[in-house]
Amino acid sequence: MRMNKLALTMMLLAGATGAVAAEQAGDPAAQTVTQSGPAAISSPDSGAQRQTASHPADVPVVTAAPAAQSSSPSPETTPVISTSVTAAPPSGNGVAPAVQNAEASGIAATQSSGSAPQKAADAAALPSQTESRASDSAAPAAVASSATEKPETPPATADADTPSASAPTPSVTAAPFTPAQEARIGEVAKAYLLQHPQLLIEIDQKLQKMQYDNQIKAMTAAAIRHQNALLNDQTIPAIGPADASVAVIEFFDYQCSVCARQAPIIQSLMKSHPQIRFIFKEWPIFGYRWKPSFQAAETGLTIWQQKGADAYLKYHDALFTTGHIEGALTQKDIARAASVAGAAKIKARSQAMLETLSGTDELAKNLGFQGTPGIVVMPVSGATAENVTVFQGGATESMLQDALNKAQGQAR
């Protein structure tokens, strides 16, 4: 009886073992359980360490194996976790990436329909144990990777807005206009000037003032250089005290219309300023056209040299009183004016007067005068650019007064 029971038991065990073996040989899912299951579940720490030791920059990544269907369906299936460890490629900056994914995928494994109740219980407990081990294997792998590897610090990059210490500072230069831009600017400027032609008058006036100021500045400097010829020529008529501190020098022609208008202003100024010396430079610029201009100048110099200051002043005023200017002056006008001065029968020494008149002409040109009248107001001594005033043309009495004040203030 015992032998029968023992034989029966051995037969049952042999049949069950053969069924399982046959089932494993024909079912790929079963092979996955026996082959890949232990590699994924057992010794997760040692596997992670082996990966870390061979590839310091690699971190084990858990990927899910595809689910396989049993070729022969069975009423009782057990999900099994199948995991494979693959080394993820290192990132570009040398820092290992974090664990990306760890999933459990159920694989249908067929079991024998004639399994014992204990096998069913063991099969029911297998998913929870496998899942627990799979999660445990993923966590130590990540911890081991982070413990053994330190991310490299990325190289410091300079801020784009911060200039480098060695980089040269670019120089800012204005780019020239292109030919097309220049042409367009010219068109716009032309159109604007055509719409506002009064601007051309303003520009011309501004330009003339600039030129005049520059001319007066140069003439002032010339007057200072030639002050001895202006102030101390004894052949030239001079009215006023010899020790005067300020002098007014006038270059004139008796037939000059502006000089004729200037004459009464000079007369008024002489009366109101007896302490000022007035020097009259006979400059007959119209003598080449009208001979009386030269004759009148020569007669005036002769009266000055022979009759003195008072006679000369009478002659001077008498000629301008006639009002005969710009070719209207006659020899009779000259003789009448000389008679008024008490020098009717005076005879001019032509050679001596010619030399004086030539000297005046040269001096006027050296000063930069281009016509009559030309007036210089300056101190007798200590002349500077700040106290010398030059008038190219006529000047009003107020203008002359301002020039006198400036010269006197510097001379005192």
Side-chain angles (χ1 to χ4, degrees):
M1 192 67 174
R2 290 181 180 177
M3 292 297 294
N4 292 334
K5 290 181 179 182
L6 179 59
L8 179 60
T9 301
M10 292 179 63
M11 291 175 61
L12 291 173
L13 290 175
T17 302
V20 171
E23 193 171 331
Q24 290 179 350
D27 193 352
Q31 295 178 4
T32 304
V33 173
T34 58
Q35 295 175 4
S36 63
I41 297 174
S42 63
S43 302
D45 295 340
S46 61
Q49 292 174 358
R50 286 196 300 271
Q51 291 289 339
T52 304
S54 61
H55 301 287
D58 296 343
V59 174
V61 179
V62 181
T63 59
Q69 298 278 341
S70 175
S71 58
S72 58
S74 175
E76 190 174 1
T77 60
T78 302
V80 179
I81 304 300
S82 174
T83 58
S84 61
V85 180
T86 59
S91 62
N93 59 1
V95 181
V99 177
Q100 296 179 355
N101 190 12
E103 294 182 352
S105 62
I107 301 178
T110 58
Q111 299 292 337
S112 174
S113 58
S115 300
Q118 181 63 35
K119 292 183 178 181
D122 295 339
L126 182 59
S128 61
Q129 295 177 359
T130 308
E131 291 177 2
S132 175
R133 292 181 181 180
S135 62
D136 292 341
S137 64
V143 173
S145 175
S146 62
T148 57
E149 295 181 6
K150 293 183 180 180
E152 296 178 2
T153 303
T157 58
D159 189 359
D161 296 336
T162 304
S164 174
S166 61
T169 302
S171 59
V172 180
T173 57
F177 293 110
T178 63
Q181 290 174 334
E182 292 179 352
R184 180 55 182 162
I185 291 173
E187 293 174 358
V188 173
K190 179 180 178 181
Y192 186 83
L193 290 176
L194 290 175
Q195 294 177 358
H196 305 84
Q198 69 277 8
L199 293 178
L200 297 176
I201 300 176
E202 295 179 10
I203 294 172
D204 182 65
Q205 292 175 347
K206 178 66 175 180
L207 178 61
Q208 289 183 10
K209 185 179 185 305
M210 291 174 59
Q211 293 174 343
Y212 178 80
D213 292 342
N214 292 334
Q215 182 183 20
I216 293 299
K217 184 178 180 180
M219 295 176 71
T220 301
I224 296 173
R225 291 195 304 269
H226 298 279
Q227 58 183 309
N228 184 58
L230 284 169
L231 298 171
N232 302 317
D233 188 349
Q234 300 300 319
T235 64
I236 300 299
I239 311 298
D243 60 350
S245 59
V246 177
V248 177
I249 304 102
E250 180 187 16
F251 292 78
F252 68 97
D253 186 313
Y254 287 109
Q255 294 207 78
C256 167
S257 59
V258 181
C259 297
R261 295 193 297 270
Q262 189 70 45
I265 296 176
I266 295 295
Q267 293 173 5
S268 175
L269 202 62
M270 291 177 68
K271 292 179 180 179
S272 60
H273 296 81
Q275 77 282 8
I276 303 300
R277 184 188 303 174
F278 290 85
I279 300 174
F280 297 94
K281 298 285 188 179
E282 301 270 358
W283 189 25
I285 60 173
F286 293 113
Y288 71 97
R289 293 175 61 186
W290 305 305
K291 189 176 181 179
S293 286
F294 180 80
Q295 293 175 345
E298 186 180 41
T299 301
L301 290 175
T302 302
I303 292 174
W304 156 254
Q305 293 176 3
Q306 295 183 14
K307 297 293 182 177
D310 290 341
Y312 174 80
L313 191 57
K314 291 178 181 179
Y315 171 80
H316 174 276
D317 293 343
L319 278 182
F320 277 118
T321 301
T322 63
H324 295 170
I325 57 176
E326 296 181 354
L329 187 65
T330 64
Q331 183 63 39
K332 292 182 179 180
D333 294 330
I334 297 171
R336 191 178 297 111
S339 179
V340 171
K345 296 180 180 181
I346 199 171
K347 292 183 180 180
R349 292 175 295 180
S350 298
Q351 187 60 37
M353 298 302 103
L354 181 60
E355 292 177 359
T356 301
L357 294 175
S358 296
T360 299
D361 179 71
E362 182 179 0
L363 177 60
K365 292 178 179 178
N366 289 335
L367 294 177
F369 287 123
Q370 299 176 358
T372 55
I375 302 173
V376 179
V377 180
M378 63 188 304
V380 175
S381 61
T384 64
E386 287 72 27
N387 57 25
V388 175
T389 305
V390 178
F391 297 99
Q392 172 64 40
T396 64
E397 189 169 353
S398 62
M399 293 168 62
L400 291 171
Q401 184 61 59
D402 292 340
L404 288 172
N405 294 338
K406 184 169 69 172
Q408 289 173 338
Q410 296 293 331
R412 291 178 182 175

